[in-house]
């Protein structure tokens, strides 16, 4: 039953997020209420508040990553090559779902019809959403740091710095992708932006005192 409930919850999260983005695209972020989003998604307003908390929470939620178990996260993160792990995840995220052509609307970035990319414009157009994204990235760094530290190759301080460099470096690459019009894969921007750091992290780390 718990598995069934979790699948229902994830399905509801995706539906609420998609309906919210429809309304934001149509009327603007500030003009839409939680109650209107709930009505469009055919759920109660209390369900929207319980799952996402705020309108900003709806935009910044990454349904897959936010609900990933520690074991699943550990399976995709190679502490010896955290940037390679990030690039692999971004490329997988950008790949069109099976059975689709990956087409996009004219004038929009790659995969613009998929919610992970539809919502990007609000990260940078709405100050309150940007603040929420930064809080989410901080939490992501907190989840990743212990996995990097567990390798024993770096100290806890170094692991925290690496984790936050990954999270906020991705955000900086994403912003440049957005500013450039989204006409190239985001993975290209992540790879380019992280290249100087990759050289540092691939070098042997001195043992901690």
């Amino acid at each position: 039953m718990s598995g069934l409930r979790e699948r229902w919850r994830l399905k509801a999260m995706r539906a609420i997020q998609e309906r919210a983005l429809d309304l934001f695209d149509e009327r603007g972020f500030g003009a839409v209420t939680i109650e209107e989003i709930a009505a469009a998604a055919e759920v109660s307003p209390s369900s929207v508040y319980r799952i996402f908390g705020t309108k900003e929470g709806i935009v910044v939620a990454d349904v897959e990553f936010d609900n990933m178990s520690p074991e699943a996260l550990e399976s995709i993160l190679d502490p010896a090559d955290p940037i390679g792990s990030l690039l692999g995840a971004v490329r997988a995220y950008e790949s069109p779902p099976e059975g689709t052509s990956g087409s996009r609307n004219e004038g929009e970035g790659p995969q613009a019809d998929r919610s992970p990319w539809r919502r990007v414009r609000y990260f940078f157009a709405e100050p309150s959403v940007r603040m929420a994204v930064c809080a989410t990235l901080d939490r992501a760094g907190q989840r990743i740091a212990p996995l990097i530290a567990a390798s024993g190759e770096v100290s806890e301080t170094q692991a925290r710095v690496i984790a936050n460099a990954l999270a906020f470096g991705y955000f900086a690459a994403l912003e440049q992708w957005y500013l450039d019009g989204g006409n190239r894969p985001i993975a290209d921007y992540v790879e380019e932006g992280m290249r100087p750091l990759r050289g540092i992290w691939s070098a042997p780390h001195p043992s901690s005192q």
Side-chain angles (χ1 to χ4, degrees):
M1 286 297 292
S2 60
L4 182 62
R5 284 195 297 270
E6 182 62 16
R7 286 194 296 272
W8 179 90
R9 179 174 175 274
L10 294 178
K11 183 178 179 180
M13 289 182 71
R14 294 187 185 99
I16 294 167
Q17 192 173 64
E18 290 295 331
R19 299 295 78 75
L21 288 166
D22 289 341
L23 292 171
F24 297 155
D25 291 349
E26 178 184 348
R27 295 166 46 197
F29 180 81
V32 178
T33 67
I34 290 284
E35 289 71 22
E36 290 169 330
I37 294 168
E42 300 182 339
V43 298
S44 67
S46 61
S47 294
V48 179
Y49 283 113
R50 183 174 65 252
I51 295 172
F52 294 103
T54 62
K55 285 197 300 182
E56 289 80 6
I58 296 173
V59 177
V60 305
D62 184 321
V63 176
E64 283 74 22
F65 180 81
D66 294 347
N67 292 278
M68 189 176 290
S69 68
E71 294 77 17
L73 183 57
E74 186 174 5
S75 72
I76 65 172
L77 177 66
D78 179 3
D81 186 14
I83 293 177
S85 301
L86 174 62
L87 281 169
V90 172
R91 290 191 179 107
Y93 216 30
E94 283 194 303
S95 299
E98 291 185 12
T100 69
S101 62
S103 61
R104 57 187 175 89
N105 297 327
E106 184 177 353
E108 295 183 346
Q111 309 300 325
D113 55 330
R114 296 173 59 193
S115 61
W117 308 117
R118 285 180 68 194
R119 59 196 176 93
V120 165
R121 74 191 72 172
Y122 297 104
F123 292 4
F124 308 111
E126 298 290 339
S128 63
V129 175
R130 188 183 184 109
M131 290 179 63
V133 173
C134 289
T136 298
L137 291 170
D138 181 60
R139 291 192 294 271
Q142 291 179 34
R143 292 184 66 189
I144 295 169
L147 300 179
I148 296 175
S151 68
E153 295 296 320
V154 296
S155 68
E156 290 187 8
T157 300
Q158 291 168 332
R160 184 177 294 275
V161 170
I162 290 171
N164 278 280
L166 283 174
F168 286 93
Y170 169 75
F171 184 65
L174 188 62
E175 182 166 22
Q176 190 61 53
W177 172 86
Y178 169 80
L179 292 172
D180 286 353
N183 294 316
R184 291 168 48 209
I186 178 60
D188 289 357
Y189 285 85
V190 175
E191 186 169 25
E192 177 187 350
M194 292 288 188
R195 193 172 297 136
L197 295 180
R198 195 168 200 174
I200 296 172
W201 290 344
S202 62
H205 296 283
S207 59
S208 302
Q209 299 298 321

